[in-house]
């Protein structure tokens, strides 16, 4: 046992030593052979029926979506800035307020009622301290792991509710506890998920914060991961579900991120927001999840290189062959559900999603 621990510690030291070199090399990222697969936004009509109100969706990048129904919105994983790799590895990172301003100008963040955090790495949480200045704090419920809440604690104290979900999350065996927005226009339930390893079986910047930080970290390695989470979110009208969405911003092997199948008896998943930052055959994990939840529409996030300037021509994240993944997905799901690989900054209007 001791020998194994020593070997593992050696692996970690080697990995951390090599990481800066690997990360800079990864800046080469991947070209997208067929850029027509990138969706530029517009109207998505999944069904000819229109017995549901329009859902408005804005994609800011990575896994940051603004999902609005009738003036009430959910904000996921607030991160827009894209600090470049050299700053991530060797320097300090901070919100690029001009970039954030240019993206959020397309929406009204005052409509935000809930914020969901998949995990607390910088590329899922870093811009929240700045973006929180544009919400109505007495109307916002912030949900995330203990680490996510503690990482940005100095900026959350005025919110209507800050919920650490570690003790409330469910899993594939049992549901968790519903958390409601202040006006009961939506609710969410968290589920225990995991983060795929970056290399050599090691997940970088893992760890937890059990006490509140006085200010947000300025180095990427200080944005510790905490407990990864997936979410079911219901948009409600007088308690009745109008839309049910599923959010998983980091992939893992089943049962990580899954919820009890029985939860779909009363209402199916209308739209799924899934990560496609997957290596090689790991795309099968996404396939398995889609088969499990059977959504009508899937938005694929975490696909673009987020360690280059936001204004640079978009390229795919280095570890994921998006072009091959897309071909695989379309072969497995030729007609249903519809998949969208959204361009950062794109906007969508989703018309009534009902199964025929």
């Amino acid at each position: 046992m001791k020998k194994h621990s020593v070997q593992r510690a050696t692996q970690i030291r080697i990995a951390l030593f090599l990481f800066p070199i690997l990360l800079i090399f990864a800046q080469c990222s991947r070209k997208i052979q067929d850029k027509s697969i990138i969706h530029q936004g517009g109207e998505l009509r999944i069904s000819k029926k229109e017995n549901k109100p329009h859902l408005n969706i804005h994609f800011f990048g990575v896994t940051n979506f603004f999902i609005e129904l009738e003036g009430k919105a959910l904000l996921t994983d607030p991160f827009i800035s894209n600090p470049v790799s050299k700053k991530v590895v060797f320097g300090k990172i901070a919100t690029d307020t001009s970039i954030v301003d240019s993206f959020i100008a397309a929406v009204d963040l005052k409509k935000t009622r809930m914020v969901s955090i998949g995990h607390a790495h910088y590329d899922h949480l870093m811009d929240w301290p700045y973006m929180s200045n544009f919400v109505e704090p007495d109307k916002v419920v912030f949900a995330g792991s203990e680490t996510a809440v503690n990482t940005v604690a100095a900026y959350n104290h005025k919110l209507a509710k800050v919920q650490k979900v570690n003790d409330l999350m469910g899993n594939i065996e049992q549901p968790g506890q519903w958390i409601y927005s202040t006006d009961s226009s939506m609710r969410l339930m968290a589920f225990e998920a995991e983060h795929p390893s970056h290399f050599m079986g090691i997940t970088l910047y893992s760890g937890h914060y059990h006490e509140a930080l006085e200010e947000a970290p300025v180095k990427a390695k200080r944005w510790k991961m905490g407990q990864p989470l997936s979410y079911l979110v219901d948009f409600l009208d007088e308690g009745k579900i109008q839309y049910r969405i599923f959010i998983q911003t980091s992939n893992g092997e089943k049962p990580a991120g899954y919820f009890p199948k029985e939860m779909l008896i009363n209402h199916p998943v209308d739209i799924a927001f899934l990560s496609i930052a997957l290596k090689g055959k790991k795309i099968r994990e996404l396939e398995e999840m889609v088969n499990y939840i059977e959504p009508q529409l899937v938005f694929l996030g975490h696909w673009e290189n987020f360690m280059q300037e936001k204004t640079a021509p978009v390229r795919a994240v280095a570890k994921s062959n998006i072009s091959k993944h897309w071909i695989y997905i379309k072969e497995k799901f030729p007609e249903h559900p519809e998949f969208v690989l959204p361009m950062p900054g794109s906007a969508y209007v989703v018309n009534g999603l009902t199964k025929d």
Side-chain angles (χ1 to χ4, degrees):
M1 186 72 178
K2 184 177 180 181
K3 182 179 180 181
H4 176 75
S5 298
V6 171
Q7 290 176 336
R8 186 59 176 167
T10 301
Q11 280 185 318
I12 293 173
R13 285 195 296 270
I14 293 172
L16 293 176
F17 174 76
L18 292 175
F19 174 60
I21 299 171
L22 294 171
L23 188 55
I24 297 301
F25 177 74
Q27 265 302 95
C28 296
S29 65
R30 286 182 184 268
K31 289 184 178 180
I32 301 173
Q33 301 301 324
D34 179 9
K35 291 190 176 181
S36 69
I37 68 176
I38 305 173
H39 204 296
Q40 302 297 321
E43 184 172 308
L44 299 173
R45 189 182 299 276
I46 308 304
S47 172
K48 293 181 180 179
K49 298 180 181 180
E50 296 187 20
N51 62 339
K52 287 191 177 186
H54 295 172
L55 194 69
N56 296 298
I57 299 173
H58 286 78
F59 177 57
F60 298 138
V62 192
T63 54
N64 187 186
F65 290 88
F66 184 81
I67 308 164
E68 177 194 346
L69 179 68
E70 299 182 321
K72 311 293 177 64
L74 168 74
L75 182 69
T76 71
D77 291 12
F79 174 73
I80 301 173
S81 293
N82 284 20
V84 297
S85 60
K86 288 183 180 179
K87 288 186 177 180
V88 172
V89 178
F90 302 112
K92 296 179 179 181
I93 59 174
T95 293
D96 186 328
T97 58
S98 63
I99 288 293
V100 174
D101 287 345
S102 67
F103 274 75
I104 65 174
V107 303
D108 182 359
L109 286 182
K110 289 183 179 180
K111 295 179 179 179
T112 304
R113 294 296 178 269
M114 302 195 86
V115 180
S116 66
I117 306 299
H119 61 274
H121 279 156
Y122 80 93
D123 58 312
H124 293 256
L125 183 58
M126 188 184 80
D127 288 337
W128 171 245
Y130 179 70
M131 293 172 73
S132 67
N133 293 318
F134 300 94
V135 305
E136 294 189 65
D138 59 333
K139 296 180 180 179
V140 174
V141 175
F142 179 98
S145 68
E146 175 189 46
T147 297
V149 170
N150 285 335
T151 301
V152 293
Y155 304 92
N156 289 343
H157 64 283
K158 292 182 180 180
L159 298 185
K161 186 175 186 179
V162 177
Q163 184 66 67
K164 301 175 184 178
V165 303
N166 298 60
D167 295 331
L168 306 177
M169 64 186 179
N171 53 45
I172 195 170
E173 300 287 342
Q174 60 184 16
Q177 181 175 316
W178 287 112
I179 301 167
Y180 285 78
S181 62
T182 58
D183 59 3
S184 296
S185 63
M186 66 185 72
R187 64 182 182 179
L188 62 75
M189 184 182 292
F191 297 91
E192 184 177 8
E194 66 182 28
H195 193 292
S197 64
H198 291 100
F199 54 91
M200 295 177 63
I202 296 169
T203 302
L204 295 165
Y205 310 153
S206 59
H208 305 268
Y209 286 122
H210 299 296
E211 301 291 337
L213 301 185
E214 294 184 1
E215 59 183 29
V218 296
K219 289 184 176 292
K221 65 181 180 181
R222 300 303 180 193
W223 290 86
K224 295 184 179 181
M225 178 176 66
Q227 172 63 55
L229 301 159
S230 63
Y231 295 92
L232 270 181
V233 182
D234 291 338
F235 285 82
L236 305 170
D237 180 19
E238 297 183 352
K240 183 179 179 180
I241 300 172
Q242 293 182 292
Y243 284 93
R244 169 164 284 178
I245 67 176
F246 176 71
I247 304 167
Q248 185 178 34
T249 58
S250 61
N251 300 77
E253 294 183 10
K254 190 177 183 180
Y258 282 70
F259 54 84
K261 188 77 169 182
E262 305 81 62
M263 294 190 69
L264 300 181
I265 294 175
N266 293 330
H267 199 286
V269 170
D270 295 304
I271 308 174
F273 296 82
L274 304 176
S275 169
I276 197 173
L278 297 162
K279 297 179 182 178
K281 294 181 180 180
K282 290 287 186 178
I283 188 64
R284 294 173 183 172
E285 294 175 3
L286 187 147
E287 176 192 358
E288 188 173 14
M289 176 60 82
V290 172
N291 282 326
Y292 187 84
I293 62 178
E294 298 182 289
Q296 296 187 62
L297 175 63
V298 180
F299 281 89
L300 299 172
H302 223 319
W303 65 268
E304 83 278 14
N305 180 9
F306 58 89
M307 285 187 284
Q308 64 174 23
E309 295 286 351
K310 193 81 173 185
T311 54
V314 67
R315 296 169 66 95
V317 65
K319 73 175 183 178
S320 183
N321 192 326
I322 300 300
S323 299
K324 285 188 176 181
H325 285 350
W326 184 261
I327 293 171
Y328 180 89
I329 288 170
K330 299 308 290 184
E331 288 177 348
K332 295 296 181 179
F333 303 97
E335 296 182 2
H336 187 84
E338 180 173 354
F339 286 82
V340 174
L341 190 71
M343 181 73 174
S346 58
Y348 302 83
V349 177
V350 180
N351 288 325
L353 301 177
T354 57
K355 290 189 175 180
D356 296 323

